Amino acid sequence: MKKLNILLFLLGVYSFNAQVISGTIISKNENKPVPYVKIGVEKENAGTVSDEKGNYSIDLTRFDASGKIKIEVPGYEPYIQTVEFFRKQDKQQIFLKEKTKNIKEVSIKVKKLVDKNWGVNTKTKHVLYSVNPQFRREDFLGETALEFNASKRSKIKNINLNIASYISDRPVLMRYSIYSEKDGFPDKNILDEEITVELTQEMIKDGTYTLDVNDHNIWVQGKFFIGIQFLKEFEGKINISAALFRTGFMRKFYGDWHKMTLAAPAINIDVKVDKSAKNIKDETAAGGDDLEGLISDVSQYQTESGNSIYGKNTAAGAYLPLKDTRLYYEVYGEGEPLFLLHGNSGSIKDFYQQIPVLAKQFKVIAVDTRGQGKSIDTSKKDFTYTRFAEDVKALADQLGFKKVNIAGWSDGGITGLEFALKYPETCHKVIAIGANAFPEGVDERLVSHMKNQLLVLQAENDPQKFNEKRLVKIMLNEPHISEKDLTKIKSPVLVIAGDKDVIKQEHTKMMAKQIPNAELKIYKDATHMIPFEKADELNADIVRFLGK
């Protein structure tokens, strides 16, 4: 009985301390409820959104009394009070004051305006930003944004959102925001009125939802951000297309904005720009650190490779047990051995356009590098290209090869060069595609992306992302093949890169110059993704070079 009383006492204390505060948001000018207002604690990742009648309920139990509650909706002045004040004001009505709208005459000296489209246009279904209310609520109520930069004053006509898939039991409520920029992040919402949409499947045409904002008279200049937020839970899931190697921004409720360096949501805008404006490259189509000119949208190839048999062919696949890993590989064809080594975070399937062609003339050994594809690495050490080369040698020995050829893409190309240095007696020829000899050979924009990505991973400190962190670190910290080391490579090497590669062209040319028996080829109109983009040309070059 005594234990029961203690339990009841503890429950009573918890109930007393629980601070779930409810109320209604009212327009002071019109004396009407204000729907879909954000209510949350500043700098915190939690909050709520009022319903269509302005009603809200928020749990303030875990927040410090001195914290600030922020209530915000476009068209109204922000309302800020302490958590302590709110705890004493349950069931209250909060009156928001409408912003004074300063209507200014828009003066454009040049009468003729030109149409432009800026932003992320991909419609991929492979790289996605997923909106799923069934996951954590604070994530669902978060906001994502994309940066833009207009060098001349421009009017936004349409905001386009590329949606890969839409499943919902009701119209999905979305809010659009446009923010000014401060210190490289979204700052204040510049809209004078709220822009919300009840999105349905029928409103999505050819994978795109287009919102006409021409009548909102939104003029921008300099850096700005367009953000989207989902306001009301629904049964289902929405997948928004996203572009790799573009920077997006995300925050949870009123928490700090964070960069998403791996991918950005497919938001693009149609604008009217003064005819005298600079070209779209100078206006940095989607802002700041645009990498679209360096790395193309390869979602089509990734989908095709995923649908191929390569990388999951049990008839051709096998494992080699090594220290801390089981190295997965697949063997095709007969003839002189040719190892295919993929790039960072890739796998065997990336060579789906090479394997069937090359296997007609060579014994192709396609390898999942340790810690990638189906090769699981259990060590806690940082990855190195030297270790990757050691794995290739162990596999060559296991298969009984005295001499091998290596065609490596990106990280795989670096591994091929390391192999040529470490095992000259085993290395016949190397084809290095988009490889670098040291970190400074990589375009600074990609390096900046990777540094930001590593900072995010370190801050998250998620054990499940340990391998991902190692893969980023190896690109930032390695390789360390000096110009003098390159002169020591005795094997013939075909050095390949795209004219729009993330590897600096002068670096690629330096490598070919320093390697004694090297041949150089720069592919025209190609990025770092040559095995995808220029498959036929690459296959022919590999066959020709190995046949010499």
Side-chain angles (χ1 to χ4, degrees):
M1 184 66 181
K2 184 176 180 180
K3 290 183 179 179
L4 178 61
N5 288 336
I6 292 172
L7 177 61
L8 291 173
F9 173 75
L10 290 174
L11 289 172
V13 169
Y14 176 80
S15 300
F16 180 77
N17 289 329
Q19 295 290 323
V20 179
I21 306 300
S22 302
T24 306
I25 310 296
I26 305 292
S27 169
K28 187 174 183 180
N29 299 56
E30 299 179 351
N31 199 32
K32 293 181 180 179
V34 183
Y36 313 126
V37 180
K38 287 178 66 173
I39 304 108
V41 182
E42 275 194 316
K43 302 296 182 182
E44 295 287 348
N45 297 337
T48 189
V49 176
S50 67
D51 64 17
E52 62 273 13
K53 296 181 180 179
N55 298 319
Y56 71 90
S57 180
I58 184 169
D59 187 352
L60 301 178
T61 306
R62 66 183 180 88
F63 298 109
D64 188 89
S66 62
K68 300 290 186 181
I69 294 286
K70 185 175 182 179
I71 297 177
E72 188 177 49
V73 68
Y76 293 86
E77 299 288 346
Y79 180 97
I80 298 176
Q81 272 290 359
T82 64
V83 170
E84 183 178 21
F85 175 85
F86 257 74
R87 284 173 175 165
K88 299 175 182 177
Q89 305 295 322
D90 194 17
K91 309 298 183 185
Q92 68 172 321
Q93 290 185 333
I94 296 174
F95 291 90
L96 298 185
K97 182 180 178 182
E98 285 193 39
K99 285 183 178 179
T100 302
K101 296 180 181 178
N102 297 317
I103 301 176
K104 297 180 180 179
E105 182 181 354
V106 177
S107 176
I108 301 292
K109 292 181 180 179
V110 180
K111 292 181 180 180
K112 186 176 180 181
L113 303 176
V114 295
D115 293 313
K116 296 285 187 179
N117 177 269
W118 303 333
V120 175
N121 288 283
T122 180
K123 290 188 177 181
T124 176
K125 295 186 179 181
H126 184 80
V127 183
L128 301 170
Y129 167 72
S130 185
V131 180
N132 190 340
Q134 278 65 56
F135 290 155
R136 294 190 307 170
R137 189 169 184 269
E138 60 266 31
D139 290 342
F140 167 68
L141 291 175
E143 187 172 9
T144 186
L146 186 69
E147 180 183 357
F148 295 81
N149 191 357
S151 65
K152 295 291 183 180
R153 198 175 189 199
S154 308
K155 183 181 181 182
I156 302 177
K157 294 168 51 186
N158 300 311
I159 302 175
N160 306 304
L161 184 65
N162 293 348
I163 299 175
S165 64
Y166 175 103
I167 301 173
S168 178
D169 62 334
R170 70 200 75 175
V172 176
L173 189 66
M174 300 167 51
R175 170 178 288 143
Y176 287 78
S177 299
I178 301 180
Y179 295 99
S180 60
E181 181 266 349
K182 184 178 180 181
D183 299 328
F185 289 90
D187 187 29
K188 295 179 181 178
N189 194 335
I190 64 174
L191 292 177
D192 287 329
E193 53 189 336
E194 185 177 24
I195 301 179
T196 56
V197 172
E198 290 188 338
L199 182 67
T200 64
Q201 178 70 65
E202 292 70 28
M203 296 162 69
I204 303 169
K205 306 297 183 183
D206 190 28
T208 300
Y209 168 62
T210 297
L211 174 65
D212 185 344
V213 295
N214 194 56
D215 291 342
H216 288 271
N217 203 35
I218 304 168
W219 289 85
V220 291
Q221 187 169 4
K223 289 185 179 181
F224 63 97
F225 298 80
I226 292 181
I228 55 171
Q229 181 185 25
F230 293 82
L231 301 175
K232 200 171 182 180
E233 295 182 25
F234 58 93
E235 291 290 332
K237 181 170 69 172
I238 294 177
N239 287 320
I240 298 170
S241 296
L244 286 171
F245 300 101
R246 297 291 298 272
T247 298
F249 295 79
M250 182 176 286
R251 69 169 174 176
K252 296 180 182 179
F253 224 80
Y254 284 132
D256 292 332
W257 286 95
H258 297 282
K259 286 187 177 182
M260 300 184 296
T261 59
L262 278 181
I267 303 171
N268 62 88
I269 57 177
D270 300 314
V271 296
K272 286 281 190 183
V273 185
D274 187 323
K275 188 179 178 181
S276 62
K278 298 178 182 178
N279 63 41
I280 196 166
K281 288 185 178 179
D282 289 335
E283 289 162 346
T284 57
D289 38 20
D290 176 20
L291 283 184
E292 280 196 332
L294 293 175
I295 297 185
S296 59
D297 180 8
V298 295
S299 55
Q300 170 195 343
Y301 305 108
Q302 290 171 329
T303 300
E304 291 173 356
S305 66
N307 292 333
S308 74
I309 194 173
Y310 303 112
K312 53 190 175 186
N313 187 353
T314 54
Y319 282 94
L320 172 65
L322 296 172
K323 184 179 180 181
D324 302 320
T325 193
R326 293 177 71 233
L327 199 69
Y328 180 75
Y329 63 97
E330 293 179 358
V331 180
Y332 299 90
E334 293 296 334
E336 197 174 331
L338 170 60
F339 280 73
L340 294 183
L341 307 179
H342 60 76
N344 191 286
S345 302
S347 70
I348 291 170
K349 65 183 175 64
D350 294 342
F351 290 113
Y352 76 103
Q353 296 181 88
Q354 282 70 49
I355 294 172
V357 176
L358 299 177
K360 293 177 181 178
Q361 300 191 45
F362 306 98
K363 180 182 281 292
V364 173
I365 304 94
V367 185
D368 276 345
T369 305
R370 73 161 58 211
Q372 297 160 77
K374 294 174 71 175
S375 296
I376 308 300
D377 182 274
T378 58
S379 74
K380 299 302 178 183
K381 297 179 180 178
D382 286 344
F383 290 141
T384 68
Y385 294 112
T386 301
R387 171 166 288 188
F388 292 166
E390 291 169 355
D391 291 345
V392 174
K393 179 62 163 63
L395 181 56
D397 291 345
Q398 173 69 20
L399 296 175
F401 299 141
K402 301 296 183 183
K403 284 274 189 179
V404 301
N405 301 296
I406 295 176
W409 176 15
S410 193
D411 276 25
I414 299 170
T415 300
L417 296 176
E418 292 278 12
F419 188 92
L421 281 167
K422 192 174 178 67
Y423 307 107
E425 72 286 352
T426 310
C427 185
H428 184 207
K429 293 183 179 181
V430 175
I431 299 97
I433 309 154
N436 57 298
F438 37 84
E440 292 76 14
V442 180
D443 189 284
E444 286 82 1
R445 288 171 288 177
L446 181 57
V447 173
S448 177
H449 267 74
M450 292 188 295
K451 286 180 178 178
N452 288 331
Q453 184 184 351
L454 183 59
L455 287 173
V456 171
L457 290 169
Q458 289 173 334
E460 289 178 340
N461 197 28
D462 184 349
Q464 294 184 348
K465 295 184 178 181
F466 173 72
N467 207 57
E468 182 181 344
K469 186 160 60 175
R470 288 195 291 184
L471 290 170
V472 175
K473 286 175 70 176
I474 192 175
M475 289 190 291
L476 284 171
N477 300 327
E478 290 206 12
H480 298 293
I481 304 173
S482 68
E483 293 188 28
K484 185 177 180 180
D485 290 333
L486 292 171
T487 65
K488 299 176 183 177
I489 296 176
K490 303 307 178 186
S491 301
V493 178
L494 174 58
V495 179
I496 292 174
D499 59 356
K500 300 174 184 176
D501 211 302
V502 296
I503 307 302
K504 297 174 183 176
Q505 195 165 130
E506 62 268 24
H507 185 84
T508 301
K509 291 179 178 179
M510 177 278 295
M511 289 171 56
K513 183 179 179 180
Q514 294 298 116
I515 299 171
N517 298 308
E519 178 183 327
L520 172 66
K521 181 167 183 182
I522 303 295
Y523 281 39
K524 293 182 179 180
D525 300 317
T527 69
H528 193 61
M529 302 299 176
I530 286 173
F532 285 162
E533 299 169 335
K534 303 287 184 177
D536 292 342
E537 187 176 356
L538 176 63
N539 293 342
D541 282 333
I542 292 174
V543 171
R544 173 190 59 79
F545 182 72
L546 296 182
K548 280 187 174 182

